[in-house]
Amino acid sequence: MKRLLLLLLVVWALIGTPPSAQAQDANLDDQTYHIAKQLNCPTCAGRNLADCPTQTCAQWKAEIRSQLERGKSADEVIAFFEARFGPTVRQEPPREGATAILWAAPLGAAVVFLAIAAWVLGQRTARSASAQPPAALANDPYAARLEQEVRESA
Amino acid sequence: MFTDLGHLAVIFAFITALYAAFISAFGAIRNDDRFVQSGRIAALMIFPLVLIGALGLWYALLTHDFGVRYVASVSNRATPLFFRITALWGSQDGSILFWCLIMSAFVAAAMLRSWGRDKPLLPWVTMTMALVMAFFLFLELFFANAFTRQDFPPADGRGLNPLLRHPGMIIHPPMLYAGYTGLLVPFAFCVASLIERRTDNLWLESSRRWTLVGWAFLTAGLALGGRWAHDVLGWGGYWGWDPSENKPLITWLIATAFLHSAMIQEKRGMFKNWNVFLMMLTFASMFFGTAFIRSGLLTSVHAFAASDIGPVFMVAMVAILAACALLWLTRLDTLKSEHMLDSAFSREGIFLIQNVLFLSSAFTVFIGTVFPLLSEALSGTRITVGPPFYDQVVVPQLLALVLLMGVAPLLAWRKASVASVGRQMIVPLVIALVTSVGLFASGLTQPIALAGFALCAYTLAQTLAEYVRGVRARMQSLGESAPLALLRLAERNQRRYGGYLIHIGVVLLAIGALGKGFYGYDVIRSVKLNESFTVGGYTFTYRGLRAVPCEFNDCQTTQAMLLVTGPDGNLSAVFPSRDFYPAQQHTATIPFTTGHFNEEVYVLLANWENAGALASFQVYVNPLINWVWVGSVVMILGFLVAYWKAPERETAPAVAVRQAVRASAR
C-alpha cells in the first residue's frame, strides 16, 4: 500500500507543472512552425516539414513565412500548398472523398469484430446452458496434489 | 577469395534447405524415420553454411574489398572497425543475408531441442522452417546478392548511411529479425500440427517458450527503434508512425493477442481455431510488412533503396496465404473447442474482447500504413497518412487495452462473480479517483489526458494489488517474510507474475506516452548572438557556433552552444549540432538534451544565417518521456521472469479444482 501511494505521488508530482510556456506570443516563427508541422516534407519521407533539415524544406518554410507576412491566414497557406501539391502534403488526411474510407475502415472493422465476438459470446453461452459440466477430475494427479496442498494449508 | 567461398556456402545453404524440406516431407509420408532424421540434420546444417557466408562478407568488409559492390556501398576506408562489422546489415542485400543468419540459428536451435513427445511434428516443422529459410536464401541469391562483384572497384566506398551510426540502430535490426524468426518456430509447429490433423494443444505447449522469445525480441526491437528515432532523427519524439515502425508493431499486436488467447487453449481447450488463425496472421503480417518495406513500395525513414524484390515477395505471400487458408479450412473439424463458454463475464470472455481490440488496432495501423498505396490505386492520388490519424484512431484502442489489463486478472475462468470483482476494484478505483482529482487540482485540465492518467493509475494499482494479494496470502498461510513471499510467489507462477510485470511495464510506457503526447510542446526561436529566449521555465542564451571535427571525417559538423538556466536556477550548457555529409548530400540534426528525469528538454539547431550571427533552435519539452524507456525495460524484465525456467504445467482440470476450492472457501 505504501509503495503504491509512493508511486502515485511520483506520478502526481511529475505531471504537476502546467505548460504555461504554451501561451507564448504567437510570432511569425511560431506560426510558420505551426503550419509546417501540419505539412508533409517533400524530401524526408515520414517526417513533417518542420522537422526536416533539407534545402527544399527550407524553401517551403520560407514560402510559408512570406505568405504569412503578406497577411494570409494559416488555412489559406495550407490550401495553397494543397492546391499545388495535392492532398498528399497534409499530415492529417482529409475526412471527405476517397479518404473517408481511411477513417471509416477502422471503425467498421471494430464494429464487425465486436459483432463477431458478441455473437460468439452469446451463442456459446446459450448453448452451454444445457452443456455438460467438465469431465471428472479424480484421475488427475496434479489436481489431487493441489487439493491436498490446499487442505494442508487451510 | 574467402568472400567467394562465402557466396558458395550460401548457394549450398539454399540447396540444403530445399533438400531438408523435401526429404522431411518425404520421410513423414513414407513414415520412415531415416529420411526425417536426414532432413533434421540438413536443416541443422543451414546455420553453419550461412555463417560461412556471413563470415565471407565480413571478411570483405574488414579488408576493404571494394570489388564487392555491397562493401563499397556501405563502408569506406574511414569507417571504423565496429561499423564495418555492423555494416553487414547496413543495407538491403547484406541485411537479408543477416536475416538468413539469424533465422538459420533459430532453425538450428529448434532442430537441436529434444523432440521427445513432439516427434510426430518434427518432419513438418522441419519442412515449414526449411521452406521459409529457402525462400529467404533464394531472395539473397537471386534478388539481393550481397556477394556480387563489380568489374571496376572504386578506390574508396561510399560509407555507411549516416542515420545508421547509432547503437540503437546497430542492435535494433538484429532484435527485430530475431523477433520475427523466433515467431517462425510456433508457426512451423502450428502448420505441423494441422498437417498431422492433431486435436491437442501440443503445438502450443511445445512452442510456447519460442513464442515468448520471439515476442520479447520484437518488444526490444521496437523499443530500441524508438530510442534510435529519438536520438537520431531530430523530431523530438520516439514514435512517428512510420511504415517501418508500423510493420513490427502490427506483428507485435497480433503476437500479443496470440500469447493471451493461447492461454485459454492451454487452460480450457477453447479457441483452438482462433489460435491457429492468429498464428497464421502473425506470420503473414511479418511477411507482408517485409514485402512492403523491402520493395520500396512504401517510403520510410529507413529508406531502403527501391528494389525489385517486391513482386517475388508478393507471389510468395499469395502462395503462403493460400496454403495457410487451405490448411486451416480443411482442418476445421480437428479444431473444435473442448468446452463451451460458460459466461461472457469470465476470463475467457474478456480475453475474447481483448483479442478483438488487439486485432482491430493492428488492422487500423495496417490500413493507415497501406493507405498511400490504396488511395493511389483507387483515386490516383497518393494520400500520406501522418501521425494525427493514428493518434486519433489507434491510441483510444490502446488505452482500452490498458483498461482491460486492469480488469481481466480479476475475472475468474468460466464464470466470474460480479460482487467479488466489484469488491476487488474498490481500492484501485479510489486510487484512480484520487489521482485524477489531484492532477486536476494541480492544473491538469485536459479531460482525455486526465482520463488516461486515471486509467493508468487504476491499472497500475490493480496489477500491484495482484502481487499484494499473493504475497499476503503466502505470508499468512506459510509465515514467510514479505520479500521471500514475493520471490516464492513469482517462482511458483512465473508466467502469471512475469506477465503482470509486463503489464506494469506497459502502464509505465503509457504514462510516458500520455505525458509526451498531451503535455509535450515544441517551439522554434530565432536569436542573435548572445541573445536569450525562454521556453517553459528554461532560459537559453545563444553563445555562438563553431565547426567541430566530425567523428569519421566524412561530414562537416557545426555545433551551437547555448547556456541554459533551468527553472531551479541551475546553470548548464547544451550543444546541439548539425552534420552535413557531402558524399550522401545528407543533413542530420543531432539533438542535445537537458532538463531532468521527468521533463526532458530536447534542443535542435534548426538553421543559421551570416556565419552564426543569427541562429534558430527547435526546443521540445517532453514531459515523462523517460517513462517510455523505463516501461520498455520493465516489459523485458517481466519477460525474463516469465521465461527464466520452465514453469510447472497446470492442466485444465487442475485449474477447475483450484477454482472450486477457492469458491468454497469464500
Side-chain angles (χ1 to χ4, degrees):
Chain A
M1 205 57 208
K2 220 174 186 177
R3 199 170 140 199
L4 222 145
L5 279 174
L6 205 75
L7 241 152
L8 196 70
L9 268 173
V10 172
V11 175
W12 189 347
L14 319 172
I15 326 154
T17 351
S20 58
Q22 263 173 323
Q24 293 263 358
D25 297 329
N27 57 26
L28 212 53
D29 268 352
D30 277 344
Q31 284 182 44
T32 308
Y33 189 60
H34 185 67
I35 293 172
K37 283 258 155 187
Q38 299 172 51
L39 294 175
N40 279 313
C41 166
T43 45
C44 307
R47 277 195 265 181
N48 66 49
L49 185 58
D51 290 337
C52 185
T54 62
Q55 275 296 253
T56 317
C57 285
Q59 285 163 11
W60 279 40
K61 282 178 245 182
E63 175 65 36
I64 297 174
R65 204 187 160 94
S66 85
Q67 292 206 7
L68 286 171
E69 274 167 350
R70 278 180 271 141
K72 284 206 188 177
S73 74
D75 287 342
E76 283 170 337
V77 176
I78 292 175
F80 164 82
F81 279 97
E82 196 172 343
R84 214 158 149 196
F85 301 97
T88 310
V89 292
R90 291 168 78 110
Q91 275 268 303
E92 182 169 341
R95 290 170 201 230
E96 68 264 5
T99 334
I101 301 170
L102 172 70
W103 294 89
L107 203 71
V111 169
V112 170
F113 284 151
L114 279 174
I116 294 173
W119 177 73
V120 169
L121 288 174
Q123 196 203 28
R124 294 273 170 89
T125 315
R127 268 199 286 168
S128 68
S130 59
Q132 295 291 311
L137 312 165
N139 296 333
D140 187 336
Y142 184 88
R145 210 185 85 207
L146 185 87
E147 224 164 0
Q148 191 195 343
E149 272 182 20
V150 170
R151 238 180 281 126
E152 277 168 2
S153 69
Chain B
M1 187 56 224
F2 194 60
T3 311
D4 298 317
L5 189 70
H7 191 180
L8 199 65
V10 175
I11 296 173
F12 277 124
F14 174 59
I15 298 168
T16 311
L18 286 181
Y19 170 79
F22 170 76
I23 206 74
S24 298
F26 184 73
I29 292 165
R30 282 290 204 78
N31 207 3
D32 190 332
D33 195 50
R34 288 175 306 165
F35 294 117
V36 174
Q37 289 307 324
S38 170
R40 180 185 184 178
I41 292 164
L44 191 62
M45 286 311 291
I46 302 171
F47 174 62
L49 286 170
V50 178
L51 184 63
I52 294 174
L55 287 173
L57 195 58
W58 262 319
Y59 180 78
L61 282 164
L62 293 180
T63 55
H64 296 298
D65 185 356
F66 298 126
V68 178
R69 206 180 53 201
Y70 181 76
V71 174
S73 72
V74 292
S75 69
N76 58 18
R77 296 200 183 276
T79 311
L81 180 69
F82 179 70
F83 286 120
R84 268 183 283 151
I85 293 171
T86 62
L88 186 72
W89 56 92
S91 185
Q92 173 100 294
D93 302 356
S95 71
I96 291 184
L97 180 66
F98 187 62
W99 178 302
C100 290
L101 179 67
I102 292 183
M103 190 182 270
S104 62
F106 268 94
V107 172
M111 292 297 115
L112 283 174
R113 70 193 283 277
S114 71
W115 281 79
R117 63 177 186 143
D118 307 330
K119 207 106 194 220
L121 298 179
L122 172 63
W124 302 114
V125 169
T126 314
M127 183 199 73
T128 311
M129 292 205 292
L131 275 182
V132 176
M133 196 69 241
F135 172 73
F136 278 92
L137 288 165
F138 170 78
L139 275 187
E140 170 60 31
L141 287 172
F142 297 100
F143 289 89
N145 196 324
F147 298 100
T148 309
R149 289 193 169 273
Q150 45 193 3
D151 293 336
F152 302 101
D156 201 358
R158 266 183 286 155
L160 187 62
N161 181 349
L163 284 176
L164 303 183
R165 299 173 191 180
H166 177 269
M169 206 54 204
I170 301 310
I171 323 168
H172 151 88
M175 290 284 169
L176 284 185
Y177 299 169
Y180 289 138
T181 55
L183 291 171
L184 171 66
V185 181
F187 173 74
F189 271 84
C190 173
V191 169
S193 173
L194 286 182
I195 294 177
E196 283 282 306
R197 290 186 174 276
R198 293 186 75 98
T199 56
D200 57 9
N201 302 336
L202 186 65
W203 75 271
L204 260 187
E205 287 165 10
S206 299
S207 65
R208 196 183 60 76
R209 285 165 67 79
W210 296 88
T211 318
L212 262 184
V213 170
W215 179 89
F217 274 122
L218 213 51
T219 308
L222 280 165
L224 286 166
R227 185 74 214 193
W228 167 77
H230 174 269
D231 291 357
V232 171
L233 291 182
W235 59 20
Y238 54 93
W239 190 262
W241 300 105
D242 182 81
S244 47
E245 293 170 320
N246 290 348
K247 171 202 146 197
L249 179 68
I250 292 170
T251 308
W252 187 89
L253 288 168
I254 303 173
T256 311
F258 171 77
L259 273 180
H260 287 91
S261 79
M263 277 184 237
I264 300 181
Q265 182 172 342
E266 282 187 60
K267 299 242 181 199
R268 301 270 294 130
M270 292 159 62
F271 290 11
K272 290 184 176 181
N273 220 328
W274 182 244
N275 286 328
V276 168
F277 173 70
L278 281 181
M279 194 65 246
M280 290 186 163
L281 204 60
T282 305
F283 183 74
S285 74
M286 177 271 265
F287 216 82
F288 192 74
T290 311
F292 270 84
I293 309 274
R294 297 283 172 152
S295 58
L297 276 173
L298 291 169
T299 45
S300 119
V301 286
H302 277 212
F304 272 119
S307 74
D308 44 6
I309 66 174
V312 194
F313 251 116
M314 282 303 149
V315 170
M317 182 75 212
V318 171
I320 287 173
L321 281 183
C324 284
L326 192 73
L327 199 56
W328 187 44
L329 291 175
T330 54
R331 301 300 194 271
L332 281 179
D333 57 320
T334 64
L335 297 170
K336 293 233 171 70
S337 269
E338 287 163 26
H339 299 289
M340 290 292 159
L341 200 63
D342 294 294
S343 157
F345 193 64
S346 63
R347 187 74 67 85
E348 297 94 312
I350 203 164
F351 268 38
L352 187 64
I353 295 170
Q354 164 254 56
N355 261 246
V356 164
L357 269 171
F358 268 119
L359 274 200
S360 74
S361 315
F363 177 77
T364 313
V365 180
F366 170 76
I367 192 110
T369 312
V370 298
F371 198 74
L373 293 176
L374 211 62
S375 64
E376 200 168 20
L378 287 177
S379 63
T381 32
R382 200 182 171 99
I383 302 284
T384 316
V385 182
F389 167 75
Y390 299 99
D391 290 345
Q392 290 171 56
V393 187
V394 185
V395 172
Q397 301 185 48
L398 298 182
L399 282 177
L401 280 168
V402 172
L403 175 66
L404 287 189
M405 278 188 339
V407 179
L410 299 179
L411 300 193
W413 295 100
R414 302 193 60 191
K415 189 168 178 18
S417 111
V418 180
S420 149
V421 171
R423 218 172 26 246
Q424 288 176 304
M425 275 183 166
I426 294 172
V427 176
L429 277 178
V430 168
I431 290 173
L433 196 70
V434 170
T435 310
S436 46
V437 168
L439 290 175
F440 186 77
S442 62
L444 267 78
T445 47
Q446 180 45 273
I448 302 173
L450 271 182
F453 283 123
L455 195 65
C456 289
Y458 165 77
T459 301
L460 192 61
Q462 191 61 268
T463 314
L464 289 172
E466 286 290 330
Y467 286 93
V468 173
R469 278 194 279 271
V471 167
R472 203 183 283 160
R474 284 194 80 89
M475 285 165 70
Q476 276 165 6
S477 65
L478 301 164
E480 290 171 349
S481 67
L484 183 71
L486 182 64
L487 195 73
R488 286 275 163 79
L489 186 74
E491 199 180 59
R492 275 301 181 85
N493 206 336
Q494 292 172 297
R495 282 172 77 178
R496 172 192 269 207
Y497 291 98
Y500 289 153
L501 194 55
I502 294 175
H503 284 185
I504 291 176
V506 174
V507 174
L508 294 180
L509 198 150
I511 290 173
L514 285 169
K516 158 77 180 151
F518 281 98
Y519 293 96
Y521 55 94
D522 49 296
V523 294
I524 190 159
R525 288 284 173 269
S526 301
V527 278
K528 296 198 183 91
L529 205 59
N530 295 320
E531 271 185 357
S532 301
F533 61 93
T534 307
V535 180
Y538 294 84
T539 304
F540 296 86
T541 310
Y542 170 48
R543 301 308 293 269
L545 287 185
R546 59 174 184 164
V548 291
C550 168
E551 209 178 343
F552 309 125
N553 287 324
D554 59 347
C555 64
Q556 297 146 14
T557 302
T558 310
Q559 193 184 59
M561 178 178 165
L562 297 119
L563 293 178
V564 190
T565 319
D568 46 4
N570 273 354
L571 203 68
S572 64
V574 292
F575 305 93
S577 61
R578 251 185 179 216
D579 298 338
F580 178 67
Y581 295 84
Q584 291 93 350
Q585 282 294 307
H586 174 84
T587 310
T589 31
I590 307 299
F592 202 99
T593 59
T594 180
H596 52 90
F597 182 78
N598 286 319
E599 188 178 77
E600 177 188 79
V601 179
Y602 180 102
V603 188
L604 290 169
L605 170 58
N607 217 341
W608 66 87
E609 284 166 29
N610 301 334
L614 183 77
S616 40
F617 298 93
Q618 256 170 287
V619 180
Y620 286 81
V621 178
N622 296 329
L624 306 181
I625 195 174
N626 283 321
W627 289 97
V628 170
W629 318 127
V630 174
S632 308
V633 172
V634 172
M635 282 168 82
I636 296 301
L637 288 178
F639 153 74
L640 290 175
V641 170
Y643 186 77
W644 203 248
K645 182 187 77 187
E648 217 167 323
R649 203 173 278 115
E650 271 190 280
T651 56
V655 173
V657 168
R658 201 182 57 206
Q659 263 152 14
V661 170
R662 200 194 274 166
S664 66
R666 257 186 211 131

